[in-house]
Amino acid sequence: MFNLTHRERVLYVELIGKLAAIGTFCGLTGVTFSNPHRVAVAAFLSFLLGFLVPQLYFFCYWHDSPRDAHEDERDRLIELRGIRSGYTVLFAGIVFVFFYLGFIHSSTGAGQTLALIFAVWMLSQIVKVARQLELYRTQDGWLADRLKPLLYKRAMKRMEELKQKRMAQ
């Protein structure tokens, strides 16, 4: 089995809960979101499954937390990076939802609009937790974070070439 820290165990439980919540929501509502009562029940059940059940687990588990449960600057940085990724997905999803509802499918009700926004919000929460898990496991980050040193080296090499061309002139 993996050697997981306390934070990683907590994030895995949260990720599983949120994946189950989005599965419950999509399974109960279907693709059409036509029945507003069904959408409301699905949103409520997925909220219970995705947020309250993991919180109950955290409450029960927190009393038995190991010594690595304290939070430091690295944990806060990882949390902020995850929030940044989640909010990026949330912003893009909300823009897409309003573009979709405004220009493509303008005859929707409030229930379908709220269902789409809820689904986008759940997706952003999943991305946030997955990003935090990825940062805890690799301590490197995603591709954009890995490209920074490469781009820096390339820029420095290009500056040296330009400097040598000026010196030669």
Side-chain angles (χ1 to χ4, degrees), residues 120-133:
V120 165
W121 180 68
M122 287 294 297
L123 182 65
S124 74
Q125 293 295 310
I126 290 171
V127 167
K128 179 189 83 152
V129 173
R131 170 79 163 144
Q132 288 174 352
L133 274 172

Side-chain angles (χ1 to χ4, degrees), residues 17-104:
K18 289 180 181 180
L19 287 173
I22 197 72
T24 302
F25 181 72
C26 292
L28 289 176
T29 58
V31 180
T32 59
F33 303 114
S34 60
N35 187 350
H37 299 293
R38 191 174 203 176
V39 169
V41 168
F44 179 72
L45 288 177
S46 61
F47 178 77
L48 282 178
L49 187 63
F51 292 96
L52 295 182
V53 171
Q55 290 299 327
L56 181 63
Y57 171 77
F58 299 151
F59 177 74
C60 294
Y61 183 72
W62 193 259
H63 299 293
D64 298 332
S65 64
R67 292 183 344 170
D68 65 344
H70 68 281
E71 186 172 307
D72 58 356
E73 291 83 13
R74 179 179 166 266
D75 293 327
R76 286 191 286 274
L77 180 64
I78 287 174
E79 183 180 358
L80 289 174
R81 282 181 163 181
I83 289 171
R84 181 180 63 188
S85 297
Y87 281 171
T88 302
V89 170
L90 181 65
F91 175 74
I94 295 295
V95 167
F96 172 76
V97 165
F98 284 120
F99 176 77
Y100 172 76
L101 294 176
F103 296 110
I104 297 173

